[in-house]
Amino acid sequence: MTGKGASRITIDEFDAITRTALPMAGSMGLRVEKMTAGAVTARLPHAAQHLRPGGTIAGPAMMALADYTMYAVVLSMVGPARAEAVTVNLNINFLSRPEPRDLLAEGRIVKLGRRLAFGEVSLYSDGRADPVAHVTASYSIPPEK
């Protein structure tokens, strides 16, 4: 079900929604790099504001990237008319210390129902093969208008 076919929203449309409805994403520099139906790659650029003591990326910044990515995954499946979809649950497992560099997220839909979506996101330090965190999340999807 994931990564096949055209997304129901473009990256530009998603950026427009998040610029107005989720300005924190812009201030963090979050951006979608690739989007197909049910699969999204997003990036959190390296910045001092995202670091914690010890020079590693802070957990809240990692969680923000994962939630942003999952939101894009959901909208890739349901389209911009249902942009009021919201996070119901987000669980993160920190696997290893991320390096102080860009953080990449690869998200995918696992199950899409009429009113609930479930997906997962893997986070990677840019240029590294092993994930630094694994996230599962569910989203409530509003009814079609």
Side-chain angles (χ1 to χ4, degrees):
M1 178 193 295
T2 63
K4 297 186 184 189
S7 172
R8 294 193 59 196
I9 187 172
T10 66
I11 292 173
D12 288 341
E13 289 170 324
F14 182 75
D15 285 344
I17 289 169
T18 57
R19 269 194 310 275
T20 57
L22 188 62
M24 180 184 77
S27 68
M28 291 182 73
L30 298 173
R31 67 179 183 268
V32 169
E33 296 191 337
K34 288 194 261 181
M35 178 182 280
T36 59
V40 169
T41 300
R43 179 180 298 269
L44 171 67
H46 178 269
Q49 71 181 9
H50 303 142
L51 300 180
R52 57 160 288 156
T56 188
I57 299 172
M62 295 170 70
M63 293 172 82
L65 173 61
D67 194 31
Y68 170 85
T69 303
M70 192 62 212
Y71 183 51
V73 169
V74 170
L75 292 190
S76 80
M77 298 294 290
V78 301
R82 296 168 86 184
E84 293 178 4
V86 295
T87 310
V88 174
N89 183 57
L90 187 138
N91 182 62
I92 188 166
N93 292 294
F94 299 102
L95 305 175
S96 64
R97 180 182 169 154
E99 297 178 27
R101 58 175 63 199
D102 286 7
L103 197 64
L104 297 175
E106 293 181 359
R108 71 179 191 92
I109 201 78
V110 173
K111 171 82 171 141
L112 177 68
R114 286 182 322 133
R115 299 294 306 272
L116 193 68
F118 180 78
E120 65 180 352
V121 179
S122 294
L123 301 178
Y124 300 87
S125 291
D126 192 15
R128 304 292 185 206
D130 293 330
V132 297
H134 181 259
V135 177
T136 56
S138 55
Y139 261 70
S140 175
I141 303 168
E144 289 190 63
K145 295 177 183 177

